[in-house]
Amino acid sequence: PGDVQDAVRRRAEHAGVRGLRLTMPFKRDALRVAVTATDVARRIGAANTLRFEDGAWHAHNTDGEGLLAALVPHIDVAGRQVAVLGAGGAARAAAVSLRDAGGVITLYARDAAKAAGEREPRRPDKRNYEDPATKGQPGGMLNGSLRPIVRATVRGVLFYQGENNSFSESWKPFHRTFPAVVSDWRALFGDPERPFGIIQIAGWSNRRSMTYDMNHHTNIVRELQHITWERTENTGLIVTYDTNSNGSIHPGRKLPVGERSARWALAEVYGIKRYRSDEPLEWRGPLYESMEVEEKKLRVRFVEGTANGLRLDQDEEAGFYIAGADKEFHHARVRVDGGDQSLVVWSDEVPEPVAVRYGWSNLPAGGLMNSRELPAYPFRTDTWPLTPHQSTGSYEVENISK
């Protein structure tokens, strides 16, 4: 605008120009070029008139004045419902002037955000409206890739998916569709007890705020994967939230995923025992069982046999969050009580804590593990609703049907 203003000013001085009338697409630029602007021009956000005086440009907008001059002699606008179509400069000028004349304005525009002067939302993804016959089809991978091998002898399944349900509102059907994956695969292979290993999705994207983290879609997906494991016989849940070192949705560290999956398969499918023991091979990390309040702190206990040698990796207190009755979470301190393999969690900012969460983020951090260095499962002690960003409605775990 500065360069444009100087160029226009020099041209005006040379030619003796005292004013300009402008039309699209220069009305918004004209307002930025001007040194001063009338109140109506600023409210409209555009100018159609520039007046050159004292070596500078001064802006005004007469679009609304022209509309009222033609309309008011025939129609009394005051108190009337008036519909304005569009969100461009002329439409905004009409809306401002008609409102000043007492009209009750309703603005109809293809882009409500633009009409309100706000940031425009993302456009719809055209892929959601394409003919599925020309692209991927519902059930296409199951019918094309799985059905041809259903007569093969298979000891079990490892299933690693769920990232696509971590966007927008794709989490909403997941509590039904994910358990259906297990039952459908078992039905196809003709074995309702087929071992099914669930790879819990890893972290991705970036952390932004406590509210963003506590309500992220990935927390919902991980919790529903956990619930499916709890409610479905002969399944296992393999933790991966600690395998990602950045925001990529495809973690680079594949080895831990393979090792933990192999432990589950060896223990639960092939019946492998611990070295020199009749006990099954350990494959689960610390698994939350209960919580109790102790003065201004919370004590967290784990399922027997999963927290032997409970520890924090390099004694780092990361990934723990604590809240009071106001449901506002804060980063928490934590101490391992080796006497009974439990955790003590607290925060000076929460004098009366009621809930604790661990590994609860789109990109979780945390090193809680057992002596086998198997990571703890993400958990929360509350059942408060979660409202993910870019989504409508809330997820309420208590309403997930059994």
Side-chain angles (χ1 to χ4, degrees):
D3 294 340
V4 173
Q5 183 178 3
D6 289 342
V8 174
R9 179 179 54 78
R10 288 195 299 269
R11 180 64 60 88
E13 291 175 344
H14 178 73
V17 174
R18 307 304 301 170
L20 296 172
R21 292 281 292 173
L22 302 108
T23 186
M24 293 296 291
F26 304 111
K27 290 185 178 181
R28 289 188 178 182
D29 290 335
L31 190 63
R32 291 194 291 266
V33 165
V35 173
T36 65
T38 59
D39 176 67
V40 67
R42 293 194 180 279
R43 289 163 58 203
I44 294 169
N48 70 347
T49 303
L50 285 176
R51 177 173 50 85
F52 189 70
E53 185 176 327
D54 297 328
W57 292 102
H58 307 272
H60 181 49
N61 193 308
T62 61
D63 284 337
E65 296 174 14
L67 172 66
L68 292 180
L71 189 64
V72 170
H74 307 285
I75 300 175
D76 184 6
V77 178
R80 286 180 175 266
Q81 297 284 340
V82 182
V84 177
L85 308 181
R92 291 197 302 275
V96 168
S97 298
L98 289 167
R99 186 179 292 110
D100 289 346
V104 181
I105 309 302
T106 302
L107 191 63
Y108 294 91
R110 288 176 295 179
D111 194 328
K114 181 179 178 181
E118 300 171 353
R119 180 180 178 182
E120 297 182 24
R122 296 178 180 177
R123 296 183 180 275
D125 188 343
K126 67 177 182 179
R127 294 175 295 181
N128 294 335
Y129 307 95
E130 292 178 348
D131 182 0
T134 64
K135 303 291 181 181
Q137 300 182 34
M141 293 190 67
L142 183 142
N143 292 323
S145 301
L146 197 61
R147 282 190 183 276
I149 64 170
V150 295
R151 293 186 179 275
T153 300
V154 178
R155 290 296 300 271
V157 172
L158 287 171
F159 188 87
Y160 190 175
Q161 284 297 323
E163 290 84 357
N164 278 340
N165 293 93
S166 303
F167 298 90
S168 187
E169 298 188 345
S170 298
W171 58 269
K172 290 186 175 181
F174 196 67
H175 70 282
R176 297 188 303 271
T177 57
F178 189 66
V181 168
V182 181
S183 59
D184 284 356
W185 280 47
R186 286 174 167 177
L188 281 172
F189 281 97
D191 183 357
E193 300 298 324
R194 179 78 63 189
F196 203 97
I198 302 166
I199 314 296
Q200 199 175 40
I201 65 169
W204 67 278
S205 187
N206 59 311
R207 304 186 190 94
R208 301 181 188 179
S209 68
M210 184 66 74
T211 299
Y212 177 87
D213 271 16
M214 292 297 100
N215 291 274
H216 199 274
H217 315 72
T218 52
N219 297 316
I220 298 174
V221 171
R222 291 192 196 100
E223 185 167 71
L224 290 173
Q225 289 178 318
H226 195 118
I227 291 172
T228 302
W229 171 42
E230 290 179 329
R231 296 179 179 178
T232 311
E233 293 290 334
N234 215 17
T235 59
L237 187 66
I238 292 88
V239 171
T240 69
Y241 67 83
D242 61 334
T243 62
N244 202 350
S245 59
N246 59 24
S248 172
I249 199 168
H250 299 290
R253 297 177 59 220
K254 309 297 186 185
L255 187 59
V257 183
E259 290 177 340
R260 296 166 192 172
S261 301
R263 275 185 168 269
W264 167 76
L266 290 170
E268 300 296 328
V269 181
Y270 295 98
I272 301 299
K273 308 297 182 181
R274 302 183 199 175
Y275 180 63
R276 292 183 177 178
S277 172
D278 290 330
E279 296 293 323
L281 183 69
E282 296 166 296
W283 64 273
R284 297 179 300 174
L287 178 61
Y288 170 75
E289 183 177 50
S290 64
M291 180 207 73
E292 56 197 60
V293 180
E294 296 182 354
E295 296 181 353
K296 297 182 179 181
K297 300 178 181 180
L298 299 178
R299 183 177 293 272
V300 177
R301 301 187 186 279
F302 300 91
V303 172
E304 185 178 357
T306 66
N308 296 330
L310 188 67
R311 65 191 64 181
L312 297 170
D313 187 15
Q314 300 184 19
D315 209 28
E316 181 67 31
E317 302 175 7
F320 292 90
Y321 310 93
I322 195 168
D326 61 359
K327 302 182 182 180
E328 294 291 330
F329 279 91
H330 302 264
H331 291 284
R333 298 289 311 278
V334 61
R335 174 176 59 82
V336 174
D337 186 342
D340 62 357
Q341 307 300 327
S342 65
L343 285 177
V344 179
V345 187
W346 75 96
S347 171
D348 294 338
E349 298 180 81
V350 186
E352 297 182 7
V354 300
V356 60
R357 294 178 180 180
Y358 171 72
W360 204 263
S361 168
N362 59 309
L363 187 60
L368 183 62
M369 60 178 64
N370 58 24
S371 60
R372 298 296 182 189
E373 297 193 351
L374 295 169
Y377 290 92
F379 67 86
R380 62 169 173 159
T381 65
D382 63 275
T383 57
W384 297 332
L386 307 180
T387 306
H389 69 287
Q390 297 179 346
S391 182
T392 58
S394 297
Y395 160 77
E396 298 185 43
V397 66
E398 292 181 319
N399 292 337
I400 300 301
S401 58
K402 294 184 178 181

